[in-house]
Amino acid sequence: MKIAFTTSDRVHINAHFGAADEIDVYEVSDEGYRFLETLKFDDQLQEESNESRLAPKLAALEDCTIIYVIAIGGSAAARLIKKGVTPVKARSEEEEISEVLNKLVKTLKGNPPPWLRKALQQKPTNFADEVENEATV
């Protein structure tokens, strides 16, 4: 699964979702994790309204399962959840991305808590998946 983190220093979960210029994305499984990419949202978004600034972020995160943030507005959280992305607030701006990733790997090896099992199962299927499922019936 893909996990995203709002960050200003690529070490800590320390950025508000709406104001985040960078979002780091990792691939996580019960065998470990690896960095995939840094999504950048800077110059072109500065002049736009808060709502229009959200659209590129929401689109870029569609294939993520969870996004860790220091803070997030209600509208943005609702829109993420509707897309099947679970927003999770970090405990503090000092919480490190690597700590969260290591805990997730350990949790996936064991018995994930109900919120994580739900997040893993709620990803909406895309059109290709629906066609494939119909073809196998």
Side-chain angles (χ1 to χ4, degrees):
M1 71 176 158
K2 287 185 179 179
I3 308 293
F5 298 89
T6 57
T7 182
S8 64
D9 62 7
R10 304 192 66 207
V11 174
H12 300 94
I13 306 164
N14 59 3
H16 185 287
F17 178 76
D21 290 334
E22 295 184 352
I23 298 176
D24 282 356
V25 180
Y26 290 79
E27 182 73 39
V28 180
S29 73
D30 61 357
E31 296 178 10
Y33 64 87
R34 67 184 176 99
F35 174 77
L36 294 177
E37 65 182 319
T38 297
L39 304 171
K40 296 188 186 264
F41 308 93
D42 44 21
D43 299 344
Q44 75 274 16
L45 299 179
Q46 296 303 325
E47 301 297 319
E48 299 181 28
S49 70
N50 284 342
E51 285 299 312
S52 61
R53 287 185 70 181
L54 290 179
K57 291 178 184 175
L58 295 169
L61 294 168
E62 281 184 342
D63 59 346
C64 291
T65 303
I66 300 169
I67 182 164
Y68 283 84
V69 299
I70 194 62
I72 188 168
S75 171
R79 290 168 70 182
L80 282 168
I81 291 166
K82 188 173 182 179
K83 290 185 173 287
V85 182
T86 302
V88 176
K89 286 189 179 182
R91 287 182 285 216
S92 77
E93 289 187 22
E94 298 303 313
E95 190 165 23
E96 293 187 11
I97 293 169
S98 62
E99 289 175 15
V100 171
L101 289 167
N102 287 322
K103 287 179 190 173
L104 274 172
V105 170
K106 187 182 286 188
T107 300
L108 289 172
K109 284 182 183 178
N111 187 14
W115 75 267
L116 183 53
R117 286 195 305 266
K118 182 178 179 185
L120 292 170
Q121 294 171 354
Q122 75 178 5
K123 291 307 290 179
T125 58
N126 61 32
F127 181 73
D129 290 338
E130 290 177 21
V131 170
E132 185 175 314
N133 289 340
E134 287 179 13
T136 59
V137 174

